[in-house]
Amino acid sequence: MIVIDWIFLGIILGGLFLGALFGFGGIFKFFTTGIFGIIISIVVCLLVGTAFYGPCEPLLNKISDAILANENWFCQFIGKLNIQNILYYVIMFVIVWILRLIIVRIIKSISQSENKVIKIMNRIMGSVFLLAILLVLFFCVLFVIGWVGGESADNFSAYLASGALRLDRLFEFLRPSEEAEAVASVLKSVY
């Protein structure tokens, strides 16, 4: 076995053990607070915000017209910044932030229940959740190495082929295909 095989096994065993140790509620709270919570809230705002923009557009246009109706330089400056769109996404961010906090607290409270069935489910779901997160991160590293391509990716593939777990198959699956590389080179030449 090569070093990457041991790292892969360590990720699997560590993810299962730490997931069972901290439980789903603890891991979910960790990955939804702090910088992760901000990133999740921004992504949700961008994805959901466009869906609710249409019904809110008449109100946003009225706000813009009211701002531009004033003749002073500050209101004209704010009107050119499209403050109504900024205000819309700030309000959307606050709503998503509050909903995220409520959902995280509900899940954390349920997972800390003293019911034996819930305790067991909390440990199992924590193991699966943390393992999935760690595997996605590992796959992203393999994808980036394959995306870089060239001789280093070929050497890394040959290195993986000598391992007992045959991670070279996974690496080749995650590595961008020649067609994708051709499309990327055409797009680079166009732009």
Side-chain angles (χ1 to χ4, degrees):
M1 286 186 53
I2 57 177
V3 174
I4 195 84
D5 290 341
W6 289 108
I7 291 172
F8 186 69
L9 289 176
I11 287 172
I12 291 173
L13 295 176
L16 291 173
F17 175 73
L18 291 174
L21 182 67
F22 294 114
F24 180 74
I27 294 168
F28 187 72
K29 185 174 190 302
F30 174 76
F31 280 107
T32 55
T33 56
I35 190 71
F36 295 120
I38 293 171
I39 292 170
I40 289 170
S41 297
I42 290 172
V43 168
V44 169
C45 285
L46 292 175
L47 294 175
V48 175
T50 55
F52 293 111
Y53 189 80
C56 296
E57 192 169 17
L59 177 63
L60 295 174
N61 289 336
K62 287 181 183 179
I63 291 172
S64 176
D65 293 341
I67 290 173
L68 290 174
N70 293 328
E71 294 295 325
N72 63 20
W73 67 272
F74 183 73
C75 289
Q76 294 300 317
F77 175 72
I78 296 293
K80 290 184 186 204
L81 288 178
N82 288 329
I83 194 69
Q84 71 276 10
N85 292 341
I86 296 169
L87 183 65
Y88 172 74
Y89 280 105
V90 166
I91 292 171
M92 178 69 71
F93 181 80
V94 169
I95 291 170
V96 168
W97 186 271
I98 291 170
L99 288 174
R100 185 188 55 78
L101 286 175
I102 291 170
I103 291 170
V104 167
R105 291 202 180 180
I106 289 171
I107 290 174
K108 179 94 168 123
S109 298
I110 290 172
S111 67
Q112 290 178 341
S113 174
E114 294 300 321
N115 187 339
K116 290 192 186 277
V117 174
I118 291 180
K119 279 187 170 185
I120 292 170
M121 289 302 298
N122 181 36
R123 303 294 181 189
I124 292 171
M125 288 175 53
S127 294
V128 170
F129 185 58
L130 187 60
L131 179 62
I133 290 171
L134 293 177
L135 286 177
V136 165
L137 291 175
F138 181 76
F139 295 161
C140 286
V141 169
L142 290 181
F143 177 78
V144 167
I145 293 171
W147 179 65
V148 168
E151 189 177 323
S152 59
D154 294 336
N155 291 341
F156 188 69
S157 180
Y159 171 72
L160 290 176
S162 65
L165 298 179
R166 299 290 302 190
L167 292 174
D168 60 323
R169 292 185 222 154
L170 176 65
F171 180 69
E172 292 301 324
F173 177 75
L174 292 174
R175 193 172 177 183
S177 65
E178 291 178 15
E179 294 86 19
E181 290 176 5
V183 170
S185 67
V186 168
L187 290 176
K188 284 179 186 177
S189 67
V190 170
Y191 296 107

